[in-house]
Amino acid sequence: MTNERLLKRTIVKEVIHSRHLQEDRTLRIYLPPGYIEVLSYPVVYCQDGEEFFNFGRIATWANQLILEEGYEPFIIVGVEVNTKVRTEEYAPFGSRFDAYLSCFAEEIIPFIEEKYPVRRDASERVLAGDSLGGSVSVHLALQYPELFTRVISLSGAFYEKSQSMISIHSDLSWLDVYMIVGLQEDSYATDTGVYNFVELNRTTRDLFEERGATVSYSEKDGRHIWGFWQKELPDALRYFLKAE
């Protein structure tokens, strides 16, 4: 991927003030090649926005899909997070979890939709996240199904609390989840303990499927790092986005 035109990208930074979080939040917005405001675009919202751009290389992958593979142009919104409070915001047992969900759905989405020509149907929005970013994306969809029905989960951190919150739903037939986990993630140390992410993801897949959700699930050789997720990101995007 050294083609120069794939490395040219338009990324805009926005800062919004969140009354729910009582602080400013930075957004990175990728605008596709040929972007013009009179058109409308599907949109991918990423947790860990800075990492999706820097380590996931999502803008370069997007350029490749659009310029070389004929995919419909789309916008990417990366929502940045302070790593010191990431678990508090992304984990359902975190002290800022509820406020973060409210900020995302009630402040970030309206801000983007007012300022950029993104499509407003749930089928044209994709949520993406790695680890706890994957699980918080699912929780956003569960809490706001009118906004989000499509989730990319890269090695989602589906801890017991997340699984119990999923299990209370009887009908998830509206939900479509792309899940991948690395086979070497069976003993991964986090700030809240050591977890077997393979088992967590298998159990969560079963919970989704038992409730009628559509799930694309795969396990591959890989560890709980961006080196693994970066390579899997194009297929995850292809799953939800359309070739023209």
Side-chain angles (χ1 to χ4, degrees), residues 67-205:
L67 294 172
E68 295 193 343
E69 299 183 29
Y71 276 76
E72 181 182 22
F74 56 98
I75 287 172
I76 302 166
V77 178
V79 181
E80 296 193 5
V81 66
N82 178 348
T83 54
K84 294 190 181 82
V85 295
R86 180 177 182 269
T87 298
E88 297 300 326
E89 291 186 357
Y90 286 6
F93 46 77
S95 61
R96 294 162 63 94
F97 176 74
D98 290 333
Y100 180 72
L101 295 194
S102 298
C103 165
F104 204 105
E106 299 168 23
E107 296 174 325
I108 293 172
I109 299 296
F111 174 84
I112 292 296
E113 294 189 344
E114 187 175 318
K115 192 156 185 182
Y116 294 91
V118 295
R119 296 179 191 155
R120 301 183 179 203
D121 191 279
S123 66
E124 301 283 359
R125 296 188 194 99
V126 178
L127 289 169
D130 65 283
S131 195
L132 275 173
S135 59
V136 79
S137 295
V138 166
H139 289 302
L140 273 163
L142 295 178
Q143 187 140 326
Y144 298 94
E146 72 282 3
L147 294 179
F148 310 111
T149 61
R150 314 170 101 193
V151 175
I152 292 170
S153 169
L154 307 171
S155 306
F158 295 107
Y159 303 146
E160 186 178 342
K161 173 86 169 171
S162 285
Q163 292 181 358
S164 66
M165 290 170 72
I166 293 166
S167 67
I168 63 173
H169 294 265
S170 58
D171 179 10
L172 294 177
S173 57
W174 50 270
L175 182 63
D176 194 347
V177 189
Y178 183 97
M179 302 175 71
I180 183 154
V181 66
L183 288 166
Q184 285 71 49
E185 297 184 59
D186 54 350
S187 182
Y188 182 73
T190 75
D191 56 358
T192 58
V194 178
Y195 297 94
N196 183 334
F197 274 74
V198 181
E199 286 301 324
L200 291 178
N201 277 267
R202 287 175 183 168
T203 303
T204 303
R205 170 202 60 196

